[in-house]
Amino acid sequence: MSLPKLQIACDHNDLASALADIKAVGDVVDIIEAGTILLLQDGAEVVRCFRALYPDKLIVADPKCADAGGTVAKNLKEAGANFMTCICSATIPTMKAAAKEVDEVQVELYGDWTYDQAQAWLDAGIHQAIYHQSRDALLAGETWGEKDLTKVKKLVDMGFKVSVTGGLKVEILDLFKGVEVYTFIAGRGITQAEDPKQAAIDFQNKIKEIWG
C-alpha cells in the first residue's frame, strides 16, 4: 500500500495571504491546491504564482468546473496546473474535454452522486475522485464516521484514486487505517494552526505512522 500524499488547500480570500501560507509549508506538503475561493478572486494568476514558487510540486486547480471543461482546463494547464477538479454534476463530455488538457481530472463528490455515475466516470477515463465533508456540512455539525469510510472504501475498490478532505485533523487519519487513500487534503487544519509548518509536519508524521 502506497503512502498517501498530503495536499494543502488554499481557500484564502486573497493571493497575498495564500502565498504567505504556502511559503511556510510548501517544502513539507506534496501537493499545492489553488482553492475555489482563491481562483474566483484572482484567477489563473494564483496557479502561475504557485508554479513559480514550486516548479517541481504537483499543483491542483480547484474550480469545480461544471461546463466549458476544455477551455477552463487549457487555461489552468498553461498557468501551471497538473490536475483540475470538475464537480460531480458536470456532464461526461465536460469531464472528458477537461481531461484532454490536463494531466488528470479529479471529480469533486458533492450532493447526491451515485455509484452508477462513478462507474461512468471510470469508463470515460476519469480515475480520481475527491470525497468531501463540505465546509457547510461541518459547520452544521456533521462529523467523520463509518458512513464516510464505507463510501471511500467502495470508491477505492471500484478503481479510483480517492482523495479525502473536509475539516481534517491529524487524529481523523486513524479512521482510514488500512484504506488506500491517495491524498489527504487539509486547509484550515494547517493554515490556521498556531504553527502551520509544524501542523503540516504532524500530518506527514501521522501518515508515515499509519501507512509507512
Side-chain angles (χ1 to χ4, degrees):
M1 188 175 294
S2 57
L3 208 65
K5 300 179 189 301
L6 178 63
Q7 178 172 320
I8 177 70
C10 294
D11 269 321
H12 299 65
N13 282 312
D14 65 277
L15 182 55
S17 60
L19 291 173
D21 281 337
I22 288 300
K23 288 178 183 177
V25 304
D27 291 330
V28 179
V29 301
D30 304 298
I31 304 175
I32 298 171
E33 174 194 326
T36 309
I37 294 169
L38 190 56
L39 286 174
L40 287 169
Q41 291 292 102
D42 291 295
E45 184 64 18
V46 176
V47 179
R48 280 189 281 271
C49 289
F50 288 180
R51 177 55 70 202
L53 279 174
Y54 294 99
D56 299 321
K57 292 279 183 181
L58 279 172
I59 294 180
V60 173
D62 183 24
K64 296 180 176 64
C65 185
D67 198 9
T71 301
V72 174
K74 184 174 186 292
N75 292 342
L76 291 169
K77 177 66 174 180
E78 288 176 352
N82 301 104
F83 303 161
M84 186 192 88
T85 64
C86 284
I87 195 71
C88 59
S89 56
T91 65
I92 295 293
T94 292
M95 293 183 188
K96 290 177 74 172
K100 288 180 180 178
E101 303 294 340
V102 292
D103 298 345
E104 291 197 51
V105 165
Q106 299 176 310
V107 181
E108 294 258 7
L109 302 179
Y110 279 104
D112 297 323
W113 57 275
T114 69
Y115 292 112
D116 285 341
Q117 287 176 293
Q119 186 60 54
W121 304 327
L122 284 172
D123 293 343
I126 309 298
H127 295 101
Q128 287 204 43
I130 301 175
Y131 184 84
H132 273 267
Q133 282 276 18
S134 77
R135 177 182 295 191
D136 293 337
L138 289 165
L139 289 172
E142 297 256 353
T143 57
W144 286 94
E146 194 63 34
K147 68 183 189 307
D148 305 299
L149 189 61
T150 298
K151 292 177 182 178
V152 170
K153 285 179 176 178
K154 171 71 172 176
L155 290 164
V156 171
D157 289 343
M158 290 178 71
F160 282 100
K161 293 192 287 187
V162 181
S163 298
V164 172
T165 188
L168 287 183
K169 300 176 182 178
V170 170
E171 57 268 24
I172 292 173
L173 271 57
D174 286 311
L175 178 68
F176 296 94
K177 185 175 182 179
V179 181
E180 195 165 0
V181 174
Y182 177 62
T183 304
F184 287 105
I185 306 171
R188 289 161 293 158
I190 293 175
T191 60
Q192 292 185 8
E194 186 174 338
D195 184 342
K197 184 173 184 178
Q198 186 59 51
I201 291 171
D202 291 344
F203 269 99
Q204 289 285 36
N205 286 340
K206 190 67 171 179
I207 288 170
K208 290 171 186 173
E209 174 190 324
I210 298 173
W211 286 273

